[in-house]
Amino acid sequence: MSELITILSHNLWLFSAIAFIFAAVIGSFLNVVIHRLPVMMKREWQQECNQYLNEYHKELVAPISKKLERAIDDYPEKYNLIVPGSACPKCKTDIKPWHNLPVIGWLMLRGKCASCSTAISARYPIIELLTGLAVAFLALHFGPTWEFACATLLTFVLMALTGIDLDEMLLPDQLTLPLLWFGLLINLNGTFTSGSDALIGAAAGYLSLWSVFWAFKLLTGKDGMGYGDFKLLAVFGAWFGWQLLPLIILLSSIVGAVVGIMLIISKKLNHGNPIPFGPYIALAGWIAMIWGSDINAWYLSTL
Ligand SMILES: [Zn+2]
């Protein structure tokens, strides 16, 4: 094992190429997570809702649960991240293993289902490609180290969170909270920052956006963000320490404003429509992971 690590650390481009392939394959699974986790969550909510109605408002059960069922009954009863296998949403033909190959599968099919020619969204290969490139870059940046393994795991979960937030305006606790605890644990021995900076970072990350949320709500009566956004910022505080939080907030606001203005100009977004903030925090946090300390040092030295 240690010999292999020595070889890879002397051949970073080889390591990076292996990392790319591995991450693209995981990216293909992340597409499944992005698509299915929200469906699984909605099912759970429906069950909880039914339970509540059965206990307290029996007269409402029949009409409401019919409506709820109709919203998600397109999916088979047993439905999780593994079962059933991937199939075309239109003609239900199973997708062949070689068509599941990241990026290549989509190119082989030329973006269409093999049997009914329904278009397959370009988002699938894009997510596979982005995941592969991001992790290949991490491989060059960190080399074959424990930091690389952690940063790769973080990148995978961030990719899933970004996709789900774009689709559903949701950042599931099932993804943010384990990431938060994991970040606190790996910093007990100072993987990215000291344990105390990580702990303060987690609390400060959550509480800063939480305060902004309540100030905004008291002033305007509107919700500007969701609780998932606070938790995601807490994740970055836990992973990289409180010192990077101002930079992450600044970067995500800049990127968010630029994208928002572009969307308004291109008329894809009306003023006042909610836009998910999670993807911007995720991107800003990822950039801060790589260059945050450098940017902070540069900023402090120019002061
Ligand atoms: Zn089809």
Side-chain angles (χ1 to χ4, degrees):
M1 186 66 185
S2 65
E3 266 173 56
L4 180 67
I5 289 175
T6 315
I7 294 171
L8 288 177
S9 59
H10 286 112
N11 297 278
L12 274 188
W13 287 100
L14 172 69
F15 178 53
S16 181
I18 297 169
F20 175 85
I21 294 167
F22 165 73
V25 172
I26 300 289
S28 168
F29 174 69
L30 293 177
N31 277 318
V32 177
V33 176
I34 292 168
H35 187 71
R36 293 191 183 185
L37 191 60
V39 175
M40 290 156 59
M41 289 168 64
K42 284 177 196 169
R43 282 207 164 157
E44 247 177 67
W45 296 338
Q46 187 201 355
Q47 279 167 4
E48 282 166 13
C49 179
N50 280 347
Q51 249 169 18
Y52 170 80
L53 289 176
N54 265 315
E55 238 166 88
Y56 299 103
H57 296 285
K58 261 212 149 90
E59 73 284 1
L60 293 174
V61 171
I64 288 186
S65 78
K66 273 253 165 56
K67 260 189 202 162
L68 282 170
E69 260 163 39
R70 212 171 309 139
I72 47 180
D73 67 1
D74 276 355
Y75 299 98
E77 193 172 341
K78 193 169 161 69
Y79 188 83
N80 55 41
L81 296 180
I82 312 292
V83 179
S86 303
C88 167
K90 185 105 185 271
C91 70
K92 311 288 179 210
T93 308
D94 288 340
I95 290 173
K96 305 213 162 53
W98 57 88
H99 289 152
N100 255 330
L101 284 174
V103 187
I104 301 165
W106 189 86
L107 291 175
M108 272 162 55
L109 291 166
R110 296 206 185 94
K112 288 180 202 144
C113 167
S115 57
C116 75
S117 296
T118 300
I120 304 168
S121 168
R123 200 176 80 171
Y124 296 105
I126 289 172
I127 284 182
E128 289 155 358
L129 197 62
L130 277 180
T131 312
L133 289 175
V135 173
F137 179 83
L138 292 179
L140 291 178
H141 185 77
F142 288 112
T145 57
W146 165 241
E147 285 86 342
F148 165 76
C150 294
T152 298
L153 179 73
L154 178 67
T155 303
F156 290 154
V157 182
L158 289 179
M159 199 61 86
L161 282 169
T162 298
I164 293 174
D165 203 21
L166 288 174
D167 282 355
E168 309 276 344
M169 299 281 291
L170 267 181
L171 294 168
D173 284 352
Q174 286 99 317
L175 299 178
T176 50
L177 294 185
L179 214 49
L180 176 67
W181 305 131
F182 190 77
L184 288 176
L185 284 180
I186 56 169
N187 283 325
L188 280 181
N189 63 0
T191 298
F192 291 105
T193 186
S194 76
S196 56
D197 285 350
L199 188 59
I200 296 169
Y206 189 92
L207 292 175
S208 55
L209 287 190
W210 178 86
S211 329
V212 172
F213 172 86
W214 279 105
F216 188 74
K217 190 162 174 133
L218 290 174
L219 287 174
T220 66
K222 286 184 202 157
D223 289 357
M225 280 176 280
Y227 274 71
D229 297 324
F230 320 160
K231 290 169 201 162
L232 185 55
L233 192 61
V235 163
F236 287 115
W239 276 67
F240 305 113
W242 59 269
Q243 292 87 341
L244 289 189
L245 290 175
L247 176 69
I248 294 173
I249 294 176
L250 186 71
L251 279 177
S252 56
S253 311
I254 294 172
V255 179
V258 170
V259 173
I261 290 167
M262 273 163 44
L263 287 175
I264 290 171
I265 290 173
S266 66
K267 304 224 166 87
K268 284 195 173 139
L269 182 85
N270 299 318
H271 292 273
N273 269 14
I275 45 169
F277 197 48
Y280 307 127
I281 302 177
L283 180 62
W286 199 85
I287 291 171
M289 164 172 74
I290 310 283
W291 294 288
S293 314
D294 294 341
I295 298 174
N296 267 359
W298 168 80
Y299 177 76
L300 290 174
S301 71
T302 52
L303 267 184

